[in-house]
Each structure stands twice: as C-alpha cells, then as structure tokens.
Amino acid sequence: TSPHKLQHEMCSACLTPVYPMEKMVASKLTLHHKCFSCKYCKKKLSIHNYSSLHGEFYCVSHYQQLFKRKGNYDEAFGHTPHKDPPEKLISVVNQTKDQ
C-alpha cells in the first residue's frame, strides 16, 4: 500500500467520506446520493427538482409551503430575516430625498 492515503471529500449532510461512486454535487455541496433529501419530509430529491437555502435542501412543495407560512425565506427557515435595508440603499434613498 502507498504511504499516502487518499483524501476523500466529506458529505455536507452526514459529514462522512464520499467515495466517487456515491458522490453527487448540488448547490456546490458534495453529498452522498442517499443523503440528498428534503430536510422537512426526508423525501429523496432529484438534481432537477429541489430547492436549497443556506446549504439545506428541500423538495419544491415544502420550500414553497414554508415560504408562504412566514412570508419570507429567512424567517420561514429559521434564520434572522433581512428587514434592514443595506447601507448603500439607505444612502441612495437619502440622496434622492435631497434632490
């Protein structure tokens, strides 16, 4: 055996090594095929039919359902909502008022 061990990528979902035969990439994250499932209902997802937010995956129906429940993606998915406008936007609004 070689003194150099192969470094395998880690699955973003289960944090265990991913071997080439079981590897897939979704939203730039490496996963096992079996780990690519909806966070809410655990349904297996397809690379052509999923939604993601903050590195977590959802089936399209639950993604839309959770969004509709809260009215914004961040709060619906347990993150702090972005309610304050960025500083640049505030600056543009103030400049418009002064004209």
Side-chain angles (χ1 to χ4, degrees):
T1 61
S2 169
H4 303 285
K5 291 187 177 184
L6 287 175
Q7 291 290 329
H8 293 284
E9 292 181 83
M10 302 301 274
C11 175
S12 296
C14 70
L15 305 177
T16 62
V18 178
Y19 298 96
M21 292 296 291
E22 57 190 4
K23 176 185 172 183
M24 66 166 299
V25 177
S27 298
K28 299 181 182 178
L29 297 174
T30 300
L31 302 155
H32 295 105
H33 286 282
K34 66 181 181 176
C35 292
F36 188 47
S37 60
C38 175
K39 181 180 179 185
Y40 188 80
C41 69
K42 308 299 182 210
K43 175 183 170 185
K44 295 288 182 218
L45 300 173
S46 159
I47 196 71
H48 304 290
N49 192 18
Y50 77 95
S51 294
S52 69
L53 184 69
H54 300 295
E56 295 172 338
F57 300 100
Y58 300 88
C59 62
V60 174
S61 62
H62 281 122
Y63 187 79
Q64 291 173 346
Q65 181 183 11
L66 290 166
F67 169 73
K68 286 178 185 174
R69 187 178 303 158
K70 293 289 186 177
N72 71 66
Y73 289 109
D74 287 320
E75 189 176 355
F77 293 95
H79 297 277
T80 303
H82 298 285
K83 293 183 180 177
D84 296 326
E87 293 302 315
K88 186 173 184 178
L89 180 58
I90 292 171
S91 174
V92 170
V93 170
N94 288 339
Q95 288 174 4
T96 306
K97 286 180 186 175
D98 294 340
Q99 292 179 358

